[in-house]
Amino acid sequence: MVPPLSEAMLDVVADALVDKGYVLLSDIIPQEVSLALLAKMRAAAIWEFEPAAIGRGIDQQIDTKIRADKISWLDKKDAVDNDYLQLMEQLREGLNRRLFMGLFDYESHYAVYESGAFYRKHVDALKGSQNRILTTVFFLNPHWQTDHGGELIIYDEDDSQLETVPPRMGTMAIFMSERFPHEVRESFATRISIAGWFRVSYATHGF
């Protein structure tokens, strides 16, 4: 059983989403959960991961000039994954209580950027699509150095740079999916993260 997210932490996230639309955190995931996730990834065989695609549905395609990471989806049947997913469920419920966002479910995958990999500027949801509503990115990179690159760059709606986020162990970025374009700068060391999206139900929103 993972420890509960504190009400104070949930307040911080909710207030930041209302105020700015995004928040950067360094202590939302308990250390024991972070270390278990890191140990799992260090033991993983990268060749078992799939090349990440761009687009959705029938428009999905592999284009390594835009995106060069490899991914593996989290599975709640896996004990390590499930601890993380339980925390995200607490976050979903906490934000729904505070902000009435109607967040319905959560999907997430590990993303591995080997040296030379990147992800060009993009948004995680089309405006008005009402599917992916809130993005989370959690980093699993101890001892990350400035010259390793791999920063998450968050832009505002006018494409001005808002934040440069080094992918250091334990850092999480949370932001509104359709509001903030973002990119992953080229990484010069193996970079590991968990990317996730809270979604709403089409049925709930009349689609």
Side-chain angles (χ1 to χ4, degrees), residues 127 155-160 162 178-181:
K127 285 188 177 296
Y155 298 88
D156 66 17
E157 293 171 290
D158 297 320
D159 276 345
S160 297
L162 284 174
E178 69 176 30
R179 182 172 164 187
F180 296 100

Side-chain angles (χ1 to χ4, degrees), residues 127-204:
K127 285 188 177 296
S129 66
Q130 294 295 314
N131 187 7
R132 288 178 170 178
I133 297 296
L134 194 64
T135 296
T136 65
V137 185
F138 182 60
F139 298 115
L140 294 168
N141 305 292
H143 315 302
W144 194 261
Q145 304 297 315
T146 301
D147 60 1
H148 290 164
E151 301 91 348
L152 171 68
I153 311 298
I154 300 175
Y155 298 88
D156 66 17
E157 293 171 290
D158 297 320
D159 276 345
S160 297
Q161 188 170 317
L162 284 174
E163 299 284 350
T164 299
V165 187
R168 296 193 182 104
M169 182 79 178
T171 299
M172 176 175 278
I174 305 173
F175 53 91
M176 303 303 295
S177 299
E178 69 176 30
R179 182 172 164 187
F180 296 100
H182 53 284
E183 68 174 312
V184 175
R185 294 255 173 94
E186 183 176 357
S187 183
F188 301 104
T190 299
R191 173 193 188 276
I192 303 170
S193 62
I194 299 175
W197 302 271
F198 290 102
R199 303 186 300 178
V200 296
S201 169
Y202 283 129
T204 301

Side-chain angles (χ1 to χ4, degrees), residues 88-133:
M88 293 300 97
E89 176 64 12
Q90 292 179 32
L91 180 59
R92 184 189 72 82
E93 292 177 347
L95 292 177
N96 280 345
R97 287 198 306 271
R98 287 163 173 79
L99 303 179
F100 307 101
M101 295 182 72
L103 303 176
F104 180 73
D105 66 358
Y106 181 75
E107 60 180 0
S108 59
H109 63 61
Y110 295 98
V112 177
Y113 291 76
E114 297 178 285
S115 185
F118 52 83
Y119 193 168
R120 301 302 186 204
K121 188 191 298 183
H122 63 285
V123 292
D124 285 343
L126 298 176
K127 285 188 177 296
S129 66
Q130 294 295 314
N131 187 7
R132 288 178 170 178
I133 297 296

